[in-house]
Amino acid sequence: MLSLQHVSKYYQVGGNKNFVLNDINLEVDEGEFISIMGPSGSGKSTLLNVIGMLDEPSDGYHYFVGNAVHQLKEKQRSALYKQYIGFVFQAYHLIDELTVYENIETPLIYQDYKSSERKAMVADILDRFQIVGKKDLFPAQLSGGQQQLVGIARALIAKPKLLLADEPTGNLNSKQGEEIMTLFRKLNKEDGVTIIQVTHSEKNAEYGSRIIDLLDGKVSSSRKF
Ligand code: ADP
Ligand code: ADP
Protein backbone atom coordinates (compact mmCIF):
# COMPACT_ATOMS: atom_id res chain seq x y z
CA MET A 1 0.00 0.00 0.00
CA LEU A 2 2.77 2.37 0.87
CA SER A 3 6.53 2.55 0.65
CA LEU A 4 9.01 5.09 1.94
CA GLN A 5 12.55 4.77 0.56
CA HIS A 6 15.44 6.78 1.97
CA VAL A 7 13.05 9.42 3.23
CA SER A 8 14.58 12.29 5.16
CA LYS A 9 13.19 15.50 6.56
CA TYR A 10 15.42 18.27 7.81
CA TYR A 11 15.26 21.90 8.78
CA GLN A 12 18.07 24.32 7.95
CA VAL A 13 19.48 25.83 11.12
CA GLY A 14 22.22 28.32 10.26
CA GLY A 15 24.40 26.38 7.84
CA ASN A 16 23.42 23.02 9.32
CA LYS A 17 20.77 20.48 8.45
CA ASN A 18 18.76 19.48 11.48
CA PHE A 19 17.42 16.00 10.68
CA VAL A 20 13.99 15.11 12.05
CA LEU A 21 13.72 12.00 9.83
CA ASN A 22 16.94 10.43 8.69
CA ASP A 23 16.89 7.82 5.92
CA ILE A 24 13.59 6.11 6.74
CA ASN A 25 12.73 2.92 4.85
CA LEU A 26 9.26 1.57 5.49
CA GLU A 27 6.88 -0.80 3.69
CA VAL A 28 3.25 -1.03 4.77
CA ASP A 29 0.92 -3.71 3.43
CA GLU A 30 -2.81 -3.33 3.14
CA GLY A 31 -4.48 -4.68 6.30
CA GLU A 32 -1.63 -3.92 8.70
CA PHE A 33 -2.15 -2.16 12.04
CA ILE A 34 1.08 -0.41 12.92
CA SER A 35 2.09 1.53 16.01
CA ILE A 36 4.89 4.08 15.85
CA MET A 37 6.64 4.55 19.19
CA GLY A 38 9.66 6.44 20.46
CA PRO A 39 10.66 9.26 22.78
CA SER A 40 9.39 12.83 22.43
CA GLY A 41 11.10 14.57 19.54
CA SER A 42 12.11 11.34 17.79
CA GLY A 43 10.08 12.28 14.70
CA LYS A 44 6.88 10.24 15.16
CA SER A 45 4.41 12.98 14.27
CA THR A 46 6.56 14.11 11.36
CA LEU A 47 6.68 10.55 10.01
CA LEU A 48 2.91 10.18 10.32
CA ASN A 49 2.37 13.54 8.60
CA VAL A 50 4.71 12.55 5.77
CA ILE A 51 2.83 9.27 5.33
CA GLY A 52 -0.43 11.27 5.26
CA MET A 53 1.00 13.79 2.77
CA LEU A 54 0.39 16.64 5.23
CA ASP A 55 4.12 17.25 5.37
CA GLU A 56 6.65 16.99 2.53
CA PRO A 57 9.94 15.16 3.04
CA SER A 58 13.18 16.91 2.06
CA ASP A 59 14.48 13.82 0.33
CA GLY A 60 13.57 10.30 -0.76
CA TYR A 61 10.91 8.33 -2.56
CA HIS A 62 7.31 7.97 -1.41
CA TYR A 63 4.87 5.56 -3.06
CA PHE A 64 1.21 5.29 -2.05
CA VAL A 65 -1.45 3.08 -3.70
CA GLY A 66 0.49 2.99 -6.95
CA ASN A 67 1.38 6.70 -7.05
CA ALA A 68 4.85 8.26 -6.84
CA VAL A 69 3.88 10.88 -4.28
CA HIS A 70 7.27 12.62 -4.48
CA GLN A 71 6.46 13.53 -8.09
CA LEU A 72 2.94 14.82 -7.46
CA LYS A 73 1.79 18.40 -7.20
CA GLU A 74 0.00 19.68 -4.13
CA LYS A 75 -3.41 19.40 -5.78
CA GLN A 76 -2.87 15.76 -6.76
CA ARG A 77 -1.63 14.89 -3.28
CA SER A 78 -4.69 16.50 -1.80
CA ALA A 79 -6.95 14.46 -4.09
CA LEU A 80 -5.17 11.25 -3.05
CA TYR A 81 -5.56 12.22 0.60
CA LYS A 82 -9.29 12.78 0.17
CA GLN A 83 -9.77 9.49 -1.60
CA TYR A 84 -7.77 7.23 0.70
CA ILE A 85 -6.91 8.75 4.07
CA GLY A 86 -8.66 9.51 7.34
CA PHE A 87 -6.77 11.37 10.09
CA VAL A 88 -7.43 11.33 13.84
CA PHE A 89 -5.74 13.86 16.13
CA GLN A 90 -4.86 13.75 19.81
CA ALA A 91 -6.81 16.93 20.54
CA TYR A 92 -9.79 15.87 18.35
CA HIS A 93 -9.73 19.05 16.18
CA LEU A 94 -13.53 19.20 16.01
CA ILE A 95 -15.19 22.42 14.91
CA ASP A 96 -16.68 23.97 18.06
CA GLU A 97 -19.49 25.81 16.24
CA LEU A 98 -20.78 22.68 14.50
CA THR A 99 -22.90 19.90 16.01
CA VAL A 100 -21.75 16.29 16.18
CA TYR A 101 -23.81 15.59 13.05
CA GLU A 102 -22.32 18.53 11.14
CA ASN A 103 -18.75 17.72 12.20
CA ILE A 104 -19.07 14.18 10.88
CA GLU A 105 -20.72 15.38 7.66
CA THR A 106 -17.99 17.95 6.83
CA PRO A 107 -15.63 15.71 4.80
CA LEU A 108 -18.55 14.56 2.64
CA ILE A 109 -19.40 18.14 1.76
CA TYR A 110 -15.80 18.73 0.66
CA GLN A 111 -16.02 15.60 -1.45
CA ASP A 112 -19.19 16.70 -3.22
CA TYR A 113 -21.48 13.93 -2.00
CA LYS A 114 -25.17 14.62 -2.62
CA SER A 115 -27.28 15.67 0.32
CA SER A 116 -29.28 12.41 0.33
CA GLU A 117 -26.08 10.32 0.30
CA ARG A 118 -24.60 12.41 3.12
CA LYS A 119 -27.70 11.86 5.23
CA ALA A 120 -27.58 8.11 4.81
CA MET A 121 -23.84 7.86 5.46
CA VAL A 122 -23.90 10.00 8.61
CA ALA A 123 -26.98 8.17 9.94
CA ASP A 124 -25.18 4.88 9.38
CA ILE A 125 -22.05 5.82 11.31
CA LEU A 126 -23.99 7.53 14.14
CA ASP A 127 -25.86 4.28 14.54
CA ARG A 128 -22.76 2.15 14.34
CA PHE A 129 -20.91 4.25 16.94
CA GLN A 130 -24.05 4.43 19.11
CA ILE A 131 -23.98 8.22 19.24
CA VAL A 132 -27.32 8.92 17.56
CA GLY A 133 -28.51 10.55 20.80
CA LYS A 134 -25.60 13.02 20.69
CA LYS A 135 -26.03 14.18 17.12
CA ASP A 136 -27.37 17.65 17.92
CA LEU A 137 -24.88 18.40 20.70
CA PHE A 138 -21.79 20.55 20.31
CA PRO A 139 -18.26 19.23 21.05
CA ALA A 140 -18.04 21.16 24.35
CA GLN A 141 -21.06 19.21 25.61
CA LEU A 142 -19.26 15.85 25.21
CA SER A 143 -16.67 14.00 27.28
CA GLY A 144 -13.17 13.58 25.83
CA GLY A 145 -13.92 9.97 24.91
CA GLN A 146 -17.09 10.97 23.10
CA GLN A 147 -15.31 13.79 21.27
CA GLN A 148 -12.66 11.37 20.07
CA LEU A 149 -15.38 8.98 18.91
CA VAL A 150 -16.78 11.84 16.83
CA GLY A 151 -13.27 12.59 15.53
CA ILE A 152 -12.93 8.96 14.46
CA ALA A 153 -16.41 8.92 12.90
CA ARG A 154 -15.44 12.00 10.89
CA ALA A 155 -12.17 10.35 9.82
CA LEU A 156 -14.03 7.22 8.70
CA ILE A 157 -17.12 8.73 7.10
CA ALA A 158 -15.75 8.70 3.55
CA LYS A 159 -14.54 5.08 3.98
CA PRO A 160 -10.76 5.62 3.84
CA LYS A 161 -8.48 2.66 3.21
CA LEU A 162 -5.82 4.12 5.53
CA LEU A 163 -6.52 5.53 8.98
CA LEU A 164 -3.75 7.64 10.53
CA ALA A 165 -3.94 8.54 14.21
CA ASP A 166 -1.56 10.74 16.18
CA GLU A 167 -1.85 9.84 19.89
CA PRO A 168 -5.57 9.13 19.55
CA THR A 169 -5.89 8.26 23.24
CA GLY A 170 -3.38 10.84 24.52
CA ASN A 171 -6.07 12.99 26.16
CA LEU A 172 -8.25 10.11 27.39
CA ASN A 173 -8.42 8.09 30.60
CA SER A 174 -7.39 4.44 30.38
CA LYS A 175 -10.95 3.07 30.05
CA GLN A 176 -11.77 5.50 27.22
CA GLY A 177 -8.42 4.64 25.66
CA GLU A 178 -9.18 0.92 25.71
CA GLU A 179 -12.54 1.53 24.05
CA ILE A 180 -10.89 3.46 21.24
CA MET A 181 -8.23 0.75 20.78
CA THR A 182 -10.93 -1.95 20.74
CA LEU A 183 -12.70 0.04 18.03
CA PHE A 184 -9.46 0.35 16.04
CA ARG A 185 -8.90 -3.40 16.28
CA LYS A 186 -12.41 -4.04 15.01
CA LEU A 187 -12.02 -1.57 12.12
CA ASN A 188 -8.78 -3.28 11.18
CA LYS A 189 -9.92 -6.89 11.52
CA GLU A 190 -13.52 -6.66 10.33
CA ASP A 191 -13.49 -3.74 7.90
CA GLY A 192 -9.95 -4.20 6.63
CA VAL A 193 -8.92 -0.61 7.34
CA THR A 194 -5.13 -0.26 7.40
CA ILE A 195 -4.16 1.68 10.53
CA ILE A 196 -1.00 3.54 11.53
CA GLN A 197 -1.01 5.18 14.94
CA VAL A 198 1.52 7.09 17.00
CA THR A 199 1.39 6.13 20.66
CA HIS A 200 3.41 6.40 23.87
CA SER A 201 1.59 3.42 25.33
CA GLU A 202 3.07 -0.06 24.91
CA LYS A 203 -0.32 -1.49 25.89
CA ASN A 204 -2.10 0.44 23.12
CA ALA A 205 0.66 -0.43 20.66
CA GLU A 206 0.03 -4.12 21.27
CA TYR A 207 -3.47 -3.86 19.82
CA GLY A 208 -1.69 -3.67 16.47
CA SER A 209 0.33 -6.18 14.48
CA ARG A 210 3.65 -4.34 14.28
CA ILE A 211 5.54 -1.76 16.31
CA ILE A 212 8.05 0.57 14.72
CA ASP A 213 10.38 2.26 17.18
CA LEU A 214 11.89 5.59 16.22
CA LEU A 215 15.00 7.10 17.75
CA ASP A 216 16.50 10.38 16.56
CA GLY A 217 14.63 10.19 13.26
CA LYS A 218 15.71 6.64 12.43
CA VAL A 219 13.89 3.32 12.73
CA SER A 220 15.65 1.68 15.69
CA SER A 221 13.62 -1.53 15.65
CA SER A 222 10.58 -3.17 14.12
CA ARG A 223 8.64 -5.75 16.11
CA LYS A 224 5.95 -8.02 14.64
CA PHE A 225 3.30 -9.96 16.56
P1 ADP B 1 3.60 15.57 19.82
O1 ADP B 1 4.99 15.91 19.40
O2 ADP B 1 2.90 14.68 18.87
O3 ADP B 1 2.80 16.72 20.28
P2 ADP B 1 4.77 14.70 22.24
O4 ADP B 1 5.85 13.76 21.89
O5 ADP B 1 5.16 16.10 22.57
O6 ADP B 1 3.70 14.65 21.10
O7 ADP B 1 3.96 14.11 23.46
C1 ADP B 1 2.55 13.93 23.45
C2 ADP B 1 2.08 13.68 24.85
O8 ADP B 1 2.72 12.54 25.42
C3 ADP B 1 2.38 14.84 25.76
O9 ADP B 1 1.26 15.08 26.58
C4 ADP B 1 3.57 14.38 26.57
O10 ADP B 1 3.53 14.93 27.88
C5 ADP B 1 3.38 12.89 26.62
N1 ADP B 1 4.68 12.20 26.59
C6 ADP B 1 5.79 12.60 25.96
N2 ADP B 1 6.79 11.72 26.12
C7 ADP B 1 6.27 10.70 26.86
C8 ADP B 1 6.80 9.48 27.37
N3 ADP B 1 8.05 9.08 27.12
N4 ADP B 1 6.00 8.67 28.07
C9 ADP B 1 4.73 9.04 28.30
N5 ADP B 1 4.18 10.19 27.88
C10 ADP B 1 4.94 11.02 27.17
P1 ADP C 1 7.59 13.40 18.07
O1 ADP C 1 6.24 13.28 17.44
O2 ADP C 1 8.34 12.10 18.12
O3 ADP C 1 7.57 14.09 19.41
P2 ADP C 1 8.03 15.39 16.05
O4 ADP C 1 7.92 14.74 14.73
O5 ADP C 1 6.87 16.16 16.56
O6 ADP C 1 8.48 14.30 17.10
O7 ADP C 1 9.27 16.39 16.02
C1 ADP C 1 10.59 15.93 15.84
C2 ADP C 1 11.54 17.09 15.88
O8 ADP C 1 11.28 17.97 14.79
C3 ADP C 1 11.43 17.92 17.14
O9 ADP C 1 12.70 17.99 17.71
C4 ADP C 1 10.99 19.27 16.64
O10 ADP C 1 11.63 20.28 17.37
C5 ADP C 1 11.42 19.29 15.19
N1 ADP C 1 10.56 20.14 14.34
C6 ADP C 1 9.27 19.88 14.02
N2 ADP C 1 8.77 20.86 13.25
C7 ADP C 1 9.77 21.76 13.07
C8 ADP C 1 9.89 23.01 12.37
N3 ADP C 1 8.86 23.52 11.69
N4 ADP C 1 11.08 23.64 12.39
C9 ADP C 1 12.11 23.12 13.07
N5 ADP C 1 12.07 21.96 13.73
C10 ADP C 1 10.92 21.29 13.76
Side-chain angles (χ1 to χ4, degrees):
M1 170 177 253
L2 112 85
S3 167
L4 300 180
Q5 297 170 13
H6 304 295
V7 162
S8 294
K9 171 86 183 175
Y10 53 78
Y11 294 97
Q12 290 284 358
V13 182
N16 293 322
K17 288 177 178 174
N18 220 336
F19 281 87
V20 176
L21 298 177
N22 194 341
D23 196 17
I24 298 277
N25 295 289
L26 176 64
E27 305 285 327
V28 178
D29 292 330
E30 201 169 336
E32 283 200 276
F33 179 176
I34 293 176
S35 302
I36 301 172
M37 301 192 75
S40 256
S42 57
K44 303 182 296 295
S45 293
T46 305
L47 176 58
L48 198 71
N49 290 342
V50 164
I51 290 170
M53 300 177 286
L54 300 178
D55 202 345
E56 245 187 302
S58 315
D59 240 322
Y61 304 93
H62 179 185
Y63 299 92
F64 179 56
V65 290
N67 297 273
V69 175
H70 53 276
Q71 293 175 339
L72 297 183
K73 298 201 184 353
E74 170 70 37
K75 218 175 163 177
Q76 297 165 304
R77 286 202 304 269
S78 158
L80 258 191
Y81 178 97
K82 280 190 196 165
Q83 188 180 354
Y84 289 103
I85 293 178
F87 216 108
V88 174
F89 303 92
Q90 176 174 351
Y92 326 127
H93 289 198
L94 300 175
I95 301 171
D96 293 335
E97 295 75 22
L98 299 183
T99 64
V100 164
Y101 186 99
E102 292 162 343
N103 265 284
I104 296 173
E105 184 186 30
T106 301
L108 299 179
I109 295 175
Y110 284 119
Q111 295 185 43
D112 299 325
Y113 280 87
K114 282 196 233 113
S115 158
S116 58
E117 288 176 309
R118 297 203 304 267
K119 256 190 194 148
M121 289 165 88
V122 177
D124 187 52
I125 208 154
L126 285 170
D127 183 45
R128 201 166 151 214
F129 281 25
Q130 299 178 334
I131 48 176
V132 178
K134 312 275 181 213
K135 74 180 170 58
D136 296 323
L137 298 182
F138 291 91
Q141 298 173 293
L142 303 176
S143 73
Q146 291 165 343
Q147 289 185 59
Q148 191 56 296
L149 216 47
V150 175
I152 295 167
R154 180 186 55 186
L156 291 172
I157 189 71
K159 306 198 189 317
K161 286 209 176 318
L162 177 61
L163 183 68
L164 302 177
D166 195 349
E167 295 272 3
T169 66
N171 287 357
L172 305 180
N173 67 36
S174 62
K175 181 168 173 284
Q176 294 167 330
E178 277 173 34
E179 284 167 7
I180 298 294
M181 284 303 104
T182 303
L183 173 63
F184 274 23
R185 175 185 276 160
K186 200 163 161 242
L187 288 167
N188 176 251
K189 290 235 185 304
E190 293 176 17
D191 302 303
V193 180
T194 306
I195 300 177
I196 306 177
Q197 67 169 351
V198 166
T199 180
H200 279 107
S201 155
E202 182 76 29
K203 199 168 144 228
N204 285 354
E206 287 173 2
Y207 278 81
S209 49
R210 175 153 64 122
I211 297 179
I212 289 166
D213 295 292
L214 281 190
L215 188 63
D216 300 333
K218 288 177 190 271
V219 175
S220 65
S221 70
S222 177
R223 301 175 265 158
K224 256 195 163 145
F225 305 116

